[in-house]
C-alpha cells in the first residue's frame, strides 16, 4: 500500500512539474471593453492541434479561428489570441492539469473526450466531432473473438495507456470487469503505438481518426472490431470558472449549427480527410 501511494504521488508531482497555469480576460471584461486577450493552449495531436514550422495547424485551431470571427461579427469584440503551450505538449496529464488550473479566457485544444467526470472540473464546448475508440495490437496477435473473452484471449498481455485519458478509464473498466491483463502508462499517444508495434504482448485503444491515419500511412497495427467502443464526443476545453462557455455555446448554435456549416465541413475535410467526414455524417445519423 505504501509503495502504491508513493507511485501515485510521484505521478502527480510529475504532472504538476510539467503543467502551468494561464490567465485570459473574462467574457464580462470583453463585453465591457470591446476587446479581450485569450489564451489557446493545446495537447500535441496530429491533425487536431499541433505546431508545424511554428504555425498552429489542425481542425481544433481552425475551429478557434472561426470562433474568433464569430465573436467579432456577432458582438463586435476584437480578440487577441495568444498561443501558449506547456513545457511538454505531448504530456496529456500536464495539459489537462494546466487547463484545469487556469482562469478566464483559456481554451484547451486536442482530441479531448467529453465525459461526466470531466464536466465536474471543466467547461466544454458542444461536441465538434464524434469518435469510435479502436482496440489495436501488433499485427501478429490473433483476433479477439469478443470483448468478454479478453481475460483469456489477451491473458498476460499489457494495455498501454495515457494516464488520465478517456482510454485510461475504458481500460480500467475492462480490467475490473474481466481482468487477465496488466496496465502500463505512457505520456503520449506516439509511445502507445511504438510499444504496440514492438511486441505482440501489448495492446491499446486509439481514436478512429488516428487509426485511419495509421492505416493510410502503412503502420502494421491490427484492429480488433469486437473491442470497438462508440459514443465518445470531442469538445474544446475551458476552465470550470470560465464565463466564455455561454459564448461558445452560442457559436455552436449559430446559423443552424456550426458543425453543419460549410466552413466546418471544409476544415474537417482538409485536416482529417474525406473518409472522416463521411464517418462523422454516419455517426451523426445514428445520434
Amino acid at each position: 500500500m505504501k509503495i502504491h501511494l508513493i507511485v501515485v504521488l510521484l505521478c502527480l508531482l510529475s504532472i504538476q512539474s510539467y503543467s502551468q497555469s494561464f490567465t485570459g480576460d473574462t467574457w464580462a471584461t470583453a463585453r465591457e471593453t470591446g476587446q479581450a486577450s485569450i489564451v489557446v493552449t493545446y495537447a500535441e495531436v496530429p491533425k487536431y492541434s499541433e505546431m508545424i514550422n511554428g504555425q498552429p495547424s489542425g481542425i481544433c485551431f481552425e475551429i478557434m479561428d472561426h470562433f474568433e470571427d464569430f465573436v467579432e461579427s456577432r458582438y463586435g469584440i476584437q480578440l487577441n489570441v495568444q498561443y501558449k503551450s506547456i513545457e511538454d505538449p505531448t504530456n496529456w496529464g500536464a495539459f489537462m492539469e494546466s487547463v484545469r488550473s487556469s482562469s478566464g479566457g483559456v481554451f484547451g485544444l486536442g482530441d479531448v473526450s467529453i465525459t461526466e467526470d470531466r464536466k465536474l472540473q471543466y467547461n466544454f464546448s458542444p461536441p465538434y466531432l464524434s469518435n469510435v475508440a479502436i482496440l489495436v495490437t501488433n499485427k501478429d496477435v490473433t483476433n479477439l473473438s469478443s470483448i468478454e473473452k479478453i481475460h483469456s484471449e489477451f491473458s498476460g498481455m499489457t494495455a498501454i495507456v495515457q494516464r488520465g485519458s478517456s482510454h485510461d478509464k475504458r481500460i480500467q473498466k475492462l480490467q475490473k470487469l474481466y481482468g487477465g491483463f496488466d496496465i502500463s502508462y505512457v505520456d503520449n499517444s506516439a509511445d502507445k503505438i511504438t510499444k504496440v508495434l514492438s511486441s505482440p504482448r501489448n495492446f491499446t485503444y486509439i481514436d478512429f481518426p488516428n487509426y485511419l491515419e495509421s492505416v493510410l500511412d502503412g503502420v502494421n497495427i491490427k484492429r480488433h472490431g469486437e473491442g470497438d467502443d462508440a459514443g465518445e464526443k470531442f469538445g474544446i476545453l475551458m476552465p470550470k470558472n470560465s464565463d466564455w462557455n455561454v459564448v461558445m455555446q452560442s457559436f455552436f448554435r449559430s446559423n443552424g449549427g456550426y458543425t453543419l456549416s460549410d466552413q466546418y465541413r471544409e476544415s474537417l475535410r482538409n485536416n482529417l480527410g474525406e473518409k472522416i467526414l463521411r464517418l462523422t455524417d454516419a455517426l451523426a445519423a445514428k445520434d
Side-chain angles (χ1 to χ4, degrees):
M1 178 63 74
K2 289 183 178 180
I3 294 177
H4 176 72
L5 289 174
I6 291 173
V7 171
V8 171
L9 287 172
L10 287 175
C11 290
L12 290 174
L13 289 173
S14 175
I15 289 173
Q16 291 174 351
S17 67
Y18 282 100
S19 66
Q20 59 192 99
S21 299
F22 303 111
T23 301
D25 289 338
T26 64
W27 175 240
T29 296
R31 293 298 299 269
E32 181 178 341
T33 64
Q35 59 185 354
S37 292
I38 63 172
V39 175
V40 174
T41 189
Y42 61 96
E44 188 79 26
V45 183
K47 309 296 184 182
Y48 286 82
S49 49
E50 57 183 334
M51 287 289 171
I52 299 180
N53 298 324
Q55 297 298 314
S57 177
I59 180 69
C60 295
F61 281 115
E62 291 196 17
I63 291 172
M64 287 304 299
D65 287 342
H66 300 158
F67 175 72
E68 181 182 358
D69 293 340
F70 168 79
V71 170
E72 183 173 4
S73 63
R74 174 64 63 86
Y75 300 102
I77 293 174
Q78 185 75 38
L79 297 184
N80 171 33
V81 182
Q82 304 173 55
Y83 299 106
K84 296 184 179 181
S85 72
I86 59 173
E87 183 176 342
D88 178 9
T90 68
N91 188 318
W92 184 263
F95 160 70
M96 295 294 288
E97 174 59 24
S98 289
V99 178
R100 190 196 65 79
S101 60
S102 292
S103 59
V106 177
F107 302 85
L109 309 185
D111 53 347
V112 185
S113 298
I114 302 171
T115 68
E116 293 305 314
D117 288 344
R118 285 176 178 169
K119 286 180 181 178
L120 299 176
Q121 301 184 70
Y122 304 91
N123 279 322
F124 278 95
S125 72
Y128 70 81
L129 189 67
S130 296
N131 178 52
V132 178
I134 306 294
L135 192 158
V136 297
T137 67
N138 183 296
K139 62 182 177 61
D140 296 324
V141 176
T142 303
N143 287 331
L144 180 67
S145 63
S146 72
I147 196 64
E148 292 80 8
K149 292 184 178 180
I150 194 170
H151 69 284
S152 58
E153 297 178 356
F154 279 19
S155 176
M157 293 179 66
T158 299
I160 310 299
V161 189
Q162 283 176 276
R163 189 180 300 278
S165 67
S166 60
H167 298 317
D168 183 4
K169 185 175 182 179
R170 177 176 293 106
I171 288 292
Q172 289 191 46
K173 181 179 179 180
L174 285 178
Q175 189 182 56
K176 183 177 180 180
L177 285 173
Y178 308 115
F181 60 86
D182 297 319
I183 299 177
S184 177
Y185 289 96
V186 295
D187 287 333
N188 60 70
S189 58
D191 287 345
K192 292 197 303 182
I193 298 298
T194 298
K195 286 183 176 293
V196 163
L197 291 175
S198 68
S199 172
R201 305 303 299 165
N202 295 332
F203 70 96
T204 192
Y205 268 99
I206 58 176
D207 298 318
F208 185 84
N210 303 117
Y211 166 75
L212 184 59
E213 181 182 15
S214 296
V215 171
L216 294 175
D217 288 344
V219 178
N220 289 320
I221 56 175
K222 175 185 280 189
R223 174 186 182 182
H224 296 262
E226 291 296 322
D228 286 0
D229 191 356
E232 278 192 343
K233 297 181 184 296
F234 295 154
I236 292 172
L237 205 58
M238 291 165 279
K240 190 64 176 176
N241 63 16
S242 174
D243 61 354
W244 284 86
N245 189 42
V246 63
V247 195
M248 187 64 76
Q249 297 287 332
S250 179
F251 164 62
F252 271 83
R253 291 194 303 267
S254 63
N255 300 320
Y258 169 69
T259 56
L260 299 176
S261 68
D262 290 340
Q263 64 176 182
Y264 166 79
R265 292 175 66 81
E266 187 64 20
S267 291
L268 193 65
R269 181 183 290 108
N270 290 340
N271 288 282
L272 302 180
E274 185 68 32
K275 289 186 178 181
I276 295 300
L277 181 60
R278 291 200 298 268
L279 171 68
T280 300
D281 289 342
L283 292 174
K286 294 179 180 180
D287 288 344

